Amino acid sequence: MTVMDIFNLANKFAQEGKGNQAVDLWNECTKMDPNFGPAYINLANAYKQVNNLPAVQGALNNFMNCPITGNTLEIVPKIKQELAEVNQKLNPPPPAK
């Protein structure tokens, strides 16, 4: 199976409510091709659903380290904003004295 085949199967599992299986396959995509950005986006969304912010942060950082081309170029500003929000939640400023 190709990376795209596995990605599409993962998407199908996600639509069927089989989130754990989808996450496993998206992770498999990133092992086969570490520059396959769409898998990182889907992983971030899946981790967001279970409020796993460190995993969201990792997936978004991995996406930002991928070569950005084509349609993914359009979502970069949104991903940067989302990553900033996750970073702020994970590292809140100290309380004012």
Side-chain angles (χ1 to χ4, degrees):
M1 290 182 86
T2 67
V3 171
M4 199 64 194
D5 292 336
I6 294 170
F7 179 75
N8 290 332
L9 182 58
N11 292 343
K12 181 177 181 283
F13 282 156
Q15 290 172 345
E16 294 171 353
K18 300 174 183 173
N20 290 338
Q21 291 168 297
V23 165
D24 289 344
L25 290 176
W26 288 319
N27 277 314
E28 183 63 28
C29 289
T30 65
K31 288 178 187 158
M32 290 176 68
D33 181 357
N35 291 319
F36 192 71
Y40 294 116
I41 296 299
N42 288 7
L43 283 168
N45 289 330
Y47 294 139
K48 233 185 303 182
Q49 289 180 356
V50 295
N51 203 32
N52 185 344
L53 294 181
V56 172
Q57 181 184 48
L60 293 177
N61 278 324
N62 286 334
F63 172 81
M64 292 304 297
N65 288 324
C66 292
I68 306 297
T69 60
N71 294 337
T72 56
L73 187 59
E74 296 173 7
I75 65 170
V76 168
K78 178 183 180 283
I79 298 303
K80 284 183 178 180
Q81 177 63 37
E82 188 173 347
L83 187 54
E85 291 169 7
V86 170
N87 287 336
Q88 187 173 21
K89 288 178 184 177
L90 289 172
N91 304 298
K97 292 184 180 183

